[in-house]
Amino acid sequence: MAKYSIDLDRAFSALADPTRRAILSRLCEGPKSVSELSEPFELALPSLLKHVRALEQSGLISSEKIGRVRTCKIEPQALHATEAWLRQHMATWEKRLDRMAAHIERMKRKV
Amino acid sequence: MAKYSIDLDRAFSALADPTRRAILSRLCEGPKSVSELSEPFELALPSLLKHVRALEQSGLISSEKIGRVRTCKIEPQALHATEAWLRQHMATWEKRLDRMAAHIERMKRKV
């Protein structure tokens, strides 16, 4: 698992919430201020900030405060690490299916 | 989000644990009994079974008991749904980068 320097526990845990996934969806389109992020959600600002902090701690996003405006952006390495973990495991599973199909094909030829 | 009928909250939550990810890694190589799964882990059987149950509830695996042996296997739809969510979001993010690069290129040509 050393390959993944990103903390996958925290990243997957942060992804396990629909509001946090919706925040990520919007940030994939570009950086946004906290007040822009809050617009589509019926959430009090402290609740939204709690989600933003959880996403920051997971490494999936970062934020910077300039003056009175806090702007959030995607940190692609963490998103990529979670996607890579899943893709690699799907590939292992699919390779096994391919090997099974090839084995069945060989068996059929022998009949 | 309606596209994902799989419960992404539960699936990502189940993935947020290193033991559960290690169980999934082993099951991607093929179905295994609970006692086979327990081998590499220094875990009491009740603790392992707790993880197995969490993975089952997330839809990432299923298990079947025949006689005294419970065998676990991957449920690829849930693994695929989590990977698809992340892949789609990485793609959105990368498209934005491409658009930005193209924009910068056009600006450079104008200088």
Side-chain angles (χ1 to χ4, degrees):
Chain A
M1 297 280 161
K3 193 177 159 190
Y4 302 105
S5 57
I6 302 289
D7 187 337
L8 287 176
D9 288 14
R10 282 188 176 215
F12 281 125
S13 180
L15 284 161
D17 178 279
T19 305
R20 290 198 290 266
R21 287 199 302 278
I23 292 172
L24 283 172
S25 292
R26 297 197 60 218
L27 291 180
C28 280
E29 292 158 10
K32 287 189 172 47
S33 71
V34 169
S35 64
E36 281 176 304
L37 276 179
S38 73
E39 277 163 23
F41 302 111
E42 285 179 12
L43 268 182
L45 199 63
S47 302
L48 183 85
L49 280 170
K50 212 170 131 186
H51 286 303
V52 165
R53 264 196 299 274
L55 285 166
E56 275 196 279
Q57 282 164 2
S58 75
L60 287 162
I61 73 166
S62 63
S63 78
E64 193 185 9
K65 197 169 185 180
I66 298 174
R68 296 179 69 177
V69 179
R70 179 170 294 282
T71 303
C72 303
K73 67 179 173 77
I74 284 285
E75 286 297 327
Q77 297 89 339
L79 202 60
H80 181 73
T82 51
E83 197 263 335
W85 191 93
L86 288 162
R87 184 165 25 87
Q88 192 187 343
H89 283 76
M90 277 302 292
T92 305
W93 186 82
E94 279 162 5
K95 265 184 212 156
R96 186 183 158 263
L97 277 201
D98 290 346
R99 280 198 304 274
M100 275 173 67
H103 179 69
I104 290 165
E105 207 52 46
R106 279 195 301 274
M107 299 275 279
K108 272 162 72 182
R109 270 187 230 127
K110 280 183 190 168
V111 176
Chain B
M1 300 278 163
K3 193 178 162 191
Y4 303 104
S5 55
I6 302 288
D7 186 335
L8 287 177
D9 289 12
R10 283 189 175 216
F12 281 125
S13 180
L15 284 161
D17 178 278
T19 305
R20 291 198 289 266
R21 288 199 302 280
I23 292 172
L24 283 172
S25 291
R26 298 197 61 217
L27 290 179
C28 279
E29 292 158 9
K32 288 190 172 46
S33 71
V34 168
S35 64
E36 281 175 302
L37 276 179
S38 72
E39 277 164 24
F41 302 111
E42 286 179 10
L43 269 181
L45 200 63
S47 302
L48 183 85
L49 279 169
K50 213 172 133 186
H51 286 303
V52 165
R53 264 196 300 273
L55 285 166
E56 275 195 279
Q57 281 164 2
S58 74
L60 287 162
I61 73 166
S62 64
S63 77
E64 192 185 11
K65 197 171 185 179
I66 298 175
R68 297 179 69 178
V69 178
R70 179 169 296 278
T71 303
C72 304
K73 66 178 172 81
I74 285 285
E75 285 297 328
Q77 298 88 340
L79 203 59
H80 182 72
T82 51
E83 197 264 335
W85 192 94
L86 288 162
R87 185 165 24 87
Q88 193 187 340
H89 284 76
M90 277 302 292
T92 305
W93 187 82
E94 279 161 6
K95 265 183 213 157
R96 186 184 157 263
L97 278 200
D98 289 347
R99 280 199 305 275
M100 275 173 67
H103 180 68
I104 290 165
E105 208 51 46
R106 278 196 301 275
M107 299 276 279
K108 271 160 72 182
R109 270 187 230 128
K110 279 182 192 169
V111 177

